[in-house]
Amino acid sequence: MDVAKEEQNGSEQTESKERTQRKRLSNHRRFPILLRVIVVLLLAFVMLAIGAVIGYSVIGGGEWKDVFNIDTWRHITDFWLTS
């Protein structure tokens, strides 16, 4: 009977150690979730800008600086809406 109690106590101790280790990992992240979301959104915006520059200047034959001009985007949206 003593062996069974020792095994049970040993398993309880390992479970409590695992719980504390899980808590430590979840509370102390090296790269917080909010920072991950911000980085992903920033990278998505940068990739969108690079894709627009490549599409407008290389494929479309326009000036790459015109991508950041608001009149260019008005012309593009007007073209989409009237087609």
Side-chain angles (χ1 to χ4, degrees):
M1 284 205 185
D2 291 330
V3 175
K5 286 182 181 179
E6 288 178 13
E7 288 178 8
Q8 186 178 8
N9 287 339
S11 65
E12 288 176 3
Q13 288 175 353
T14 56
E15 287 178 13
S16 66
K17 286 181 183 179
E18 289 175 2
R19 286 185 196 143
T20 56
Q21 286 177 350
R22 280 190 232 142
K23 285 182 183 178
R24 285 184 198 148
L25 290 176
S26 64
N27 291 338
H28 296 26
R29 294 180 186 265
R30 291 185 183 174
F31 203 57
I33 293 175
L34 183 61
L35 188 58
R36 290 179 193 184
V37 170
I38 291 171
V39 167
V40 167
L41 290 176
L42 183 65
L43 287 174
F45 180 75
V46 168
M47 291 297 123
L48 179 69
I50 290 172
V53 167
I54 291 172
Y56 191 78
S57 63
V58 176
I59 298 171
E63 185 70 27
W64 73 271
K65 295 177 186 176
D66 290 339
V67 171
F68 303 106
N69 190 354
I70 192 71
D71 291 331
T72 303
W73 289 103
R74 282 191 191 129
H75 177 70
I76 291 171
T77 56
D78 288 343
F79 180 74
W80 285 340
L81 296 175
T82 57
S83 294

